[in-house]
């Protein structure tokens, strides 16, 4: 049955191709949303880029037909820019809602469309408050579900059995691990490969099986993408840095280690507004990474400052990765749960020949308002790419930072 979907601004900012995600249904963009997009088009970074993409897409569609009466989309659906007259708006405006909020205008459009159409009408928004208000007024509202992935269904990446021949290979995907009485194994897609149970990677040894499996994947040259998901203190970033130093300094597989993380801007402004050089701007966000690097370097009597001077280690803001091609580098994307699926795709497509990318993060600690544990880029990438021969995914659950850190993560 055909449905009417009314899109909020944040959906289009989140996914510029969202208008094509509703199959053969009717997609409505209220005029106030278009106005809000116009205000955002000069924003720096991801928001401005995505908004400009949406506007260009709408312009291309406008050249093919009338946005007011509806334009047929390539997927069989129809797009329309919805416009209310002044009298219609006066009639369908909910008087106790603040009239200057675009969210409330969207509600008015939905109430109008619901009354003038026999087709089910649904507001699509990543804003929980708008969805709550819509439901309170008898309207149907939902999150943008296209890139939703169930975190609870994401496998751990390893199994435990008594004997290795007890496990059915048909149930495994490449680069899953198995713990048995006979040792630890990685399934390469065809056979089980026994792995070293006591590796030492740039002075670091694993403290549990999850860390053992992670280090094996991180140091395997045939695996180009590793996603490590876990709570704070499980060693995700620490292990990735140790593996990067081992593969770069000792084995010479990579030319450089690049560590980047999303910088959640203060006051909504891009990092470019902050004073100082790039290193000064990103240092508050990179302090945890630098602490780990300095500790690992001390274990091996290596000068952290020398590595930075020689640019063997590069600390980067993700804002500046778009447009680059990054060959032969060990790339660590820390706090990847704060990225959208589109941003993750952009990063992964930057990987040049001979590069390896490691995604780390905790899906339960998200700092951006329109992402959650099932819609963030880290979980999206792990879910969609798991099972490929060059991809490995591990969930780390055991905290190793300290007894206090583990207790706090579990009970608070």
């Amino acid at each position: 049955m055909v449905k009417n979907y009314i899109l909020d601004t944040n959906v289009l900012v989140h996914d510029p191709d969202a208008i094509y995600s509703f199959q053969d249904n009717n997609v409505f963009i209220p005029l106030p949303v278009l106005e809000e997009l116009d205000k955002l088009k000069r924003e720096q970074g991801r928001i401005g880029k995505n908004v400009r993409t949406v506007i260009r897409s709408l312009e291309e569609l406008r050249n093919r037909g009338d946005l007011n009466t509806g334009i047929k989309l390539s997927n069989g659906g129809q797009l329309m820019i919805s416009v209310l007259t002044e009298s219609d708006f006066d009639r369908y405006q909910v008087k106790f809602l603040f009239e200057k909020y675009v969210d409330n205008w969207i509600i008015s459009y939905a109430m109008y469309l619901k009354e003038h159409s026999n087709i089910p009408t649904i507001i699509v928004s990543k804003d929980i408050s708008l969805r709550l208000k819509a439901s309170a007024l008898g309207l149907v509202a939902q999150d943008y579900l296209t890139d939703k992935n169930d975190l609870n269904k994401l496998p751990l990446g390893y199994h435990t059995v008594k004997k290795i021949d007890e496990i059915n290979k048909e149930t495994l995907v490449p680069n899953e691990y198995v713990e048995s009485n006979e040792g630890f194994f990685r399934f390469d897609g065809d056979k089980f490969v026994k792995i070293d149970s006591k590796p030492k990677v740039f002075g670091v040894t694993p403290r549990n099986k999850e860390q053992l499996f992670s280090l094996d994947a991180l140091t395997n040259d045939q695996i180009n993408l590793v996603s490590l998901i876990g709570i704070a203190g499980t060693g995700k970033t620490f292990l990735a840095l140790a593996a990067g130093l081992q593969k770069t300094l000792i084995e010479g597989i990579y030319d450089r280690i690049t560590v980047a993380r999303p910088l959640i801007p203060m006051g909504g402004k891009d990092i470019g507004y902050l004073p100082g050089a790039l290193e000064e701007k990103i240092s508050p966000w990179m302090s945890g990474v630098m602490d780990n690097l300095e500790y690992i370097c001390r274990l091996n009597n290596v000068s952290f400052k020398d590595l930075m001077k020689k640019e063997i280690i590069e600390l980067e803001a993700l804002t500046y990765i778009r447009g680059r091609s990054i060959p032969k580098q060990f790339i660590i994307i820390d706090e990847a749960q704060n990225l959208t699926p589109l941003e993750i795709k952009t990063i992964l497509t930057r990987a040049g020949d001979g590069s390896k990318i490691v995604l780390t993060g905790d899906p339960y600690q998200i700092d951006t308002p329109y992402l959650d544990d099932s819609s963030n880029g880290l979980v999206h990438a792990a879910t969609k790419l798991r099972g490929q021969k060059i991809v490995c995914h591990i969930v780390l659950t055991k905290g190793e930072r300290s007894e206090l850190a583990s207790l706090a993560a579990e009970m608070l």
Side-chain angles (χ1 to χ4, degrees):
M1 182 181 184
V2 175
K3 299 180 179 67
N4 295 326
Y5 288 97
I6 301 176
L7 306 191
D8 191 0
T9 311
N10 51 56
V11 172
L12 297 168
V13 172
H14 176 80
D15 181 2
D17 293 324
I19 58 176
Y20 299 103
S21 299
F22 297 91
Q23 300 177 334
D24 57 351
N25 294 292
N26 299 323
V27 178
F28 289 86
I29 299 178
L31 189 62
V33 168
L34 202 60
E35 180 77 1
E36 197 165 39
L37 290 173
D38 187 59
K39 292 178 182 177
L40 294 171
K41 67 185 180 186
R42 292 182 179 85
E43 288 284 323
Q44 299 293 318
R46 175 185 67 88
I47 292 177
K49 173 182 175 292
N50 289 356
V51 167
R52 291 189 292 272
T53 300
V54 173
I55 292 173
R56 283 193 294 268
S57 295
L58 293 176
E59 172 65 7
E60 289 175 7
L61 290 169
R62 186 183 72 85
N63 291 329
R64 287 166 29 196
D66 189 342
L67 287 170
N68 183 252
T69 58
I71 295 175
K72 203 73 174 175
L73 299 174
S74 57
N75 60 357
Q78 181 173 256
L79 174 72
M80 184 182 300
I81 303 294
S82 184
V83 181
L84 289 185
T85 65
E86 186 174 353
S87 59
D88 286 334
F89 186 75
D90 288 341
R91 178 180 176 186
Y92 293 100
Q93 181 186 11
V94 182
K95 301 303 180 185
F96 54 82
L97 294 179
F98 188 48
E99 65 178 18
K100 291 187 178 180
Y101 283 168
V102 172
D103 288 359
N104 299 335
W105 293 342
I106 292 172
I107 286 175
S108 298
Y109 276 78
M111 295 181 75
Y112 170 86
L113 194 57
K114 179 183 177 182
E115 184 172 313
H116 288 78
S117 173
N118 294 323
I119 301 174
T121 299
I122 302 166
I123 294 176
V124 182
S125 175
K126 298 198 69 63
D127 187 340
I128 297 175
S129 297
L130 173 55
R131 300 201 301 265
L132 289 172
K133 285 190 285 187
S135 296
L137 292 166
L139 298 169
V140 179
Q142 68 179 43
D143 195 357
Y144 181 58
L145 303 175
T146 298
D147 52 19
K148 281 274 189 178
N149 301 279
D150 192 344
L151 176 60
N152 296 320
K153 292 183 179 179
L154 187 60
L156 296 175
Y158 55 86
H159 305 266
T160 301
V161 295
K162 288 185 178 180
K163 294 184 178 181
I164 192 66
D165 57 9
E166 289 180 3
I167 195 163
N168 183 0
K169 292 181 181 179
E170 300 297 322
T171 65
L172 302 179
V173 299
N175 301 319
E176 279 196 296
Y177 290 86
V178 180
E179 174 194 23
S180 76
N181 293 338
E182 302 153 271
F184 300 94
F185 298 83
R186 178 178 56 84
F187 181 62
D188 68 0
D190 179 44
K191 62 185 182 299
F192 292 107
V193 179
K194 195 167 186 177
I195 66 173
D196 184 1
S197 62
K198 295 181 180 179
K200 193 166 188 178
V201 178
F202 209 73
V204 173
T205 55
R207 294 186 176 183
N208 57 56
K209 63 183 179 184
E210 298 163 356
Q211 292 193 353
L212 170 64
F213 300 149
S214 299
L215 278 176
D216 183 75
L218 289 165
T219 54
N220 188 320
D221 299 333
Q222 304 306 311
I223 299 175
N224 301 130
L225 174 65
V226 179
S227 57
L228 301 179
I229 289 179
I231 60 172
T234 51
K236 306 179 298 296
T237 307
F238 185 79
L239 297 172
L241 290 168
L245 288 165
Q246 172 75 25
K247 304 302 287 188
T248 303
L249 287 181
I250 306 300
E251 300 180 27
I253 302 297
Y254 306 102
D255 295 335
R256 179 185 298 172
I257 302 168
T258 297
V259 186
R261 68 188 308 182
L263 310 185
I264 310 302
M266 295 180 290
K269 292 185 176 181
D270 185 77
I271 186 175
Y273 286 85
L274 299 176
L278 177 60
E279 186 175 338
E280 294 174 292
K281 293 178 182 183
I282 67 175
S283 59
W285 282 276
M286 289 293 187
S287 56
V289 172
M290 294 175 71
D291 289 343
N292 279 324
L293 278 170
E294 289 177 347
Y295 177 74
I296 296 171
C297 287
R298 284 200 303 272
L299 287 177
N300 295 272
N301 295 317
V302 173
S303 170
F304 170 70
K305 290 183 179 179
D306 284 349
L307 294 180
M308 294 293 291
K309 281 182 181 178
K310 295 176 182 177
E311 297 185 342
I312 293 172
I313 298 173
E314 178 186 36
L315 304 181
E316 183 68 282
L318 280 176
T319 306
Y320 301 105
I321 274 190
R322 181 168 56 88
R324 291 179 59 188
S325 179
I326 311 174
K328 210 178 176 187
Q329 292 190 28
F330 193 98
I331 305 164
I332 302 170
I333 308 300
D334 199 31
E335 302 291 346
Q337 78 277 3
N338 284 319
L339 297 170
T340 68
L342 182 61
E343 288 171 323
I344 284 287
K345 180 179 179 180
T346 300
I347 291 165
L348 295 183
T349 55
R350 294 302 95 205
D353 189 41
S355 284
K356 182 176 190 131
I357 295 185
V358 182
L359 305 175
T360 70
D362 178 0
Y364 296 107
Q365 290 191 355
I366 293 178
D367 303 311
T368 54
Y370 297 132
L371 295 178
D372 58 32
D373 58 10
S374 295
S375 65
N376 65 85
L378 173 61
V379 172
H380 182 75
T383 301
K384 297 297 183 183
L385 298 176
R386 175 183 169 271
Q388 301 299 312
K389 284 198 170 184
I390 61 170
V391 176
C392 181
H393 163 70
I394 302 289
V395 175
L396 297 95
T397 59
K398 185 174 174 53
E400 295 290 357
R401 181 173 291 165
S402 68
E403 184 178 357
L404 174 59
S406 299
L407 184 67
E410 179 183 350
M411 303 191 67
L412 295 182

